[in-house]
């Protein structure tokens, strides 16, 4: 009986420790994100520029990854590997967004708000929310103390491989598109590499990454493992459903430039035969109802 009592006390103490670490992890990540985005907003409002808006988003991701990294446990455990994957993925995003901002010299999304500080502030806070929710799978793994976190195991390493493939898909797609743009946008729309099998392969890479991250969070042993699903679900919502971003932005009013060009028939055929998200061969032969229900052809 004494042994059982001692064991129950130990379990209770450990649970309190885990709950405390969970609260501390989410609170610190939220506070850091708010402060970082607020600093970005103040600087941008004073300078009246949106040039470094996306860059602050990318840096915020890296900051959250560094904050939760356990430097005393430099082994290939679940947290270390997931932190490394996030670091590589978000470093690419930071570099790509910085390059794009430099090339474009501005962002039309902010034309109507840059002179309205309260509304401009909202844009920065929305970015903070985006960073926080996309990082949720990583934060979930950070909540588990290093001495009780589950090993990756076979399933975990398969998910790591899936995350790495998602990074490769996103990076290679972005590079293929950038090379096509720099070459003068030949043929009106990109069909290089992955773009011949998906209309938005870079978005597919993002979605794959965060579903794999959610799977890694699920197996971590955290009591709040289910929060990890917010990363891929929010990613898909932003990329697939929100007007002004992702596929809605790329395939909304911007389609007019294709249908008003000499390539309109080619583009019509391309849309019919090319998956909107995940790269697929033989997409054109798939029945439309299946495309609508399973393959995001909305």
């Amino acid at each position: 009986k004494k042994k059982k009592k001692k064991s129950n006390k130990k379990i209770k103490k450990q649970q309190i420790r885990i709950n405390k670490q969970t609260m501390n992890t989410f609170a610190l990540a939220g506070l850091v994100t708010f402060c970082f985005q607020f600093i970005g907003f103040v600087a941008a409002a004073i300078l009246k520029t949106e040039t470094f808006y996306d860059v602050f988003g990318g840096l915020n991701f890296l900051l959250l990854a560094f904050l939760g990294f356990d430097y005393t446990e430099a082994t290939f455990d679940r947290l270390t590997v997931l932190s490394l994957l996030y670091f590589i993925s978000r470093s690419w995003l930071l570099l790509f967004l910085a390059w794009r901002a430099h090339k474009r010299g501005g962002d039309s999304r902010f034309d109507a708000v840059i002179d309205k500080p309260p509304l401009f502030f909202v844009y920065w806070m929305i970015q903070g929310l985006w960073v926080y929710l996309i990082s949720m799978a990583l934060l979930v793994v950070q909540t588990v103390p290093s001495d009780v976190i589950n090993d990756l195991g076979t399933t975990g390493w398969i998910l790591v491989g899936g995350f790495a493939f998602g990074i490769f898909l996103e990076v290679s797609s972005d590079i293929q598109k950038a090379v096509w743009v720099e070459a003068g946008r030949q043929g009106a729309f990109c069909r290089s590499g992955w773009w011949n099998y998906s209309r938005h392969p870079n978005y597919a890479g993002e979605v794959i990454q965060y579903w794999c991250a959610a799977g890694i969070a699920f197996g971590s042993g955290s009591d709040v493992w289910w929060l990890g699903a917010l990363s891929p679900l929010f990613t898909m919502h932003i990329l697939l459903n929100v007007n002004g971003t992702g596929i809605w932005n790329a395939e909304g009013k911007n389609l007019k430039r294709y249908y008003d060009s000499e390539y309109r028939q080619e583009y019509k055929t391309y849309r019919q035969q090319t998956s909107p998200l995940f790269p697929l061969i033989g997409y054109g032969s798939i029945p439309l109802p299946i495309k609508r229900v399973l393959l995001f052809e909305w």
Side-chain angles (χ1 to χ4, degrees):
K1 277 186 179 179
K2 277 184 181 178
K3 278 184 181 178
K4 197 176 179 184
K5 221 174 184 182
K6 219 174 186 181
S7 177
N8 288 341
K9 204 179 248 185
K10 193 178 178 182
I11 292 169
K12 198 174 180 182
K13 273 186 179 178
Q14 185 169 285
Q15 192 60 50
I16 290 169
R17 183 166 65 99
I18 291 171
N19 289 342
K20 190 177 178 183
Q21 182 159 326
T22 299
M23 288 187 290
N24 289 344
T25 298
F26 288 128
L28 179 61
L31 180 62
V32 166
T33 297
F34 171 79
C35 292
F36 192 68
Q37 294 301 319
F38 184 73
I39 291 168
F41 157 71
V42 171
I46 292 171
L47 297 172
K48 291 192 181 299
T49 180
E50 79 293 336
T51 307
F52 47 82
Y53 177 82
D54 287 329
V55 173
F56 260 70
L59 286 172
N60 202 156
F61 278 116
L62 300 186
L63 195 54
L64 293 187
F66 275 123
L67 279 175
F69 188 76
D70 188 350
Y71 297 95
T72 63
E73 298 285 336
T75 57
F76 284 103
D77 63 8
R78 191 175 293 263
L79 176 57
T80 305
V81 173
L82 188 57
S83 297
L84 182 62
L85 288 169
Y86 262 85
F87 179 79
I88 295 169
S89 170
R90 300 304 85 186
S91 292
W92 168 255
L93 180 71
L94 173 60
L95 290 171
F96 182 72
L97 292 178
W99 171 81
R100 192 177 69 177
H102 173 71
K103 291 292 288 183
R104 290 180 175 179
D107 192 329
S108 59
R109 289 177 299 173
F110 297 93
D111 290 348
V113 301
I114 201 162
D115 291 320
K116 299 172 183 173
L119 201 51
F120 196 31
F121 173 77
V122 171
Y123 273 62
W124 281 87
M125 292 303 105
I126 288 173
Q127 174 163 259
L129 179 65
W130 169 65
V131 170
Y132 191 77
L133 291 178
I134 296 297
S135 302
M136 191 58 70
L138 178 61
L139 297 178
V140 166
V141 178
Q142 289 177 2
T143 66
V144 188
S146 58
D147 58 329
V148 297
I149 194 168
N150 292 332
D151 291 334
L152 276 166
T154 304
T155 303
W157 281 109
I158 290 171
L159 290 167
V160 167
F163 198 128
F165 172 72
I167 295 173
F168 171 73
L169 178 57
E170 180 182 4
V171 172
S172 57
S173 299
D174 284 336
I175 292 173
Q176 288 164 358
K177 182 75 173 282
V179 169
W180 172 78
V181 169
E182 289 296 298
R185 298 176 177 267
Q186 295 174 7
F189 57 95
C190 185
R191 284 166 284 188
S192 304
W194 293 109
W195 299 85
N196 199 40
Y197 305 101
S198 165
R199 305 202 298 266
H200 305 283
N202 50 342
Y203 296 161
E206 289 258 336
V207 171
I208 291 168
Q209 286 172 56
Y210 296 121
W211 275 116
C212 290
I216 294 169
F218 172 76
S220 65
S222 171
D223 289 341
V224 291
W225 57 265
W226 49 273
L227 284 173
L230 288 175
S231 293
L233 290 174
F234 189 71
T235 298
M236 292 183 76
H237 176 62
I238 289 292
L239 295 178
L240 298 173
N241 301 324
V242 177
N243 191 10
T245 64
I247 290 177
W248 271 63
N249 182 52
E251 299 201 352
K253 61 182 181 182
N254 288 330
L255 286 183
K256 190 174 185 294
R257 60 183 166 177
Y258 301 127
Y259 287 112
D260 286 349
S261 74
E262 60 185 293
Y263 298 98
R264 56 184 172 275
Q265 191 54 49
E266 281 184 56
Y267 185 72
K268 187 178 178 183
T269 303
Y270 172 74
R271 280 183 65 85
Q272 290 170 346
Q273 296 180 350
T274 311
S275 167
L277 189 61
F278 299 111
L280 291 173
I281 295 172
Y283 181 77
S285 60
I286 298 173
L288 185 58
I290 294 177
K291 291 179 181 180
R292 297 275 195 221
V293 175
L294 299 177
L295 300 174
F296 313 105
E297 190 65 82
W298 300 333

